[in-house]
Amino acid sequence: MNKSELLINISEKSGLKKSESEKALNAFLETVTEALIEGEKVQLVGFGTFEVRDRKAREGRNPRKPEEVIQIPASKAPVFKAGKTLKEAVNK
């Protein structure tokens, strides 16, 4: 499902116009993004948790030259952990 299909489903289930659904979805995505940038967790009970995890610097291999070792710098990675209710719904 892509964003436009998601907007159609949100619109149908909520009774909102498609443009209103798009504003709501964009506001949600922007709010989650801003929270993660600030280092906060976003917990939606039953659905899941969005958070940022630190990745350590490490060595890797250049795929074009497998003998060449490269340094991969430390970075931050956004992650999503599914909640219990979501896991149970998917596994039915």
Side-chain angles (χ1 to χ4, degrees):
M1 177 182 295
N2 61 31
K3 187 175 180 180
S4 62
E5 293 169 336
L6 179 60
L7 286 171
I8 291 168
N9 283 339
I10 291 172
S11 174
E12 290 173 354
K13 291 182 181 194
S14 68
L16 296 171
K17 294 179 184 176
K18 189 175 174 190
S19 61
E20 294 170 335
S21 297
E22 185 172 13
K23 284 180 186 178
L25 179 60
N26 288 338
F28 171 76
L29 296 175
E30 191 175 312
T31 303
V32 170
T33 301
E34 289 170 356
L36 293 178
I37 289 170
E38 293 173 10
E40 298 176 29
K41 276 186 188 181
V42 177
Q43 291 181 301
L44 303 172
V45 176
F47 183 73
T49 303
F50 298 91
E51 64 182 322
V52 175
R53 293 196 184 144
D54 292 321
R55 297 184 71 183
K56 296 179 182 178
R58 60 195 189 282
E59 290 184 349
R61 298 277 179 183
N62 182 344
R64 293 187 180 164
K65 299 177 186 174
E67 67 280 352
E68 182 183 345
V69 176
I70 58 174
Q71 293 298 316
I72 302 170
S75 63
K76 294 181 179 184
V79 295
F80 174 76
K81 182 179 177 189
K84 182 180 177 183
T85 307
L86 178 60
K87 287 180 186 177
E88 289 172 353
V90 170
N91 287 313
K92 280 187 179 180

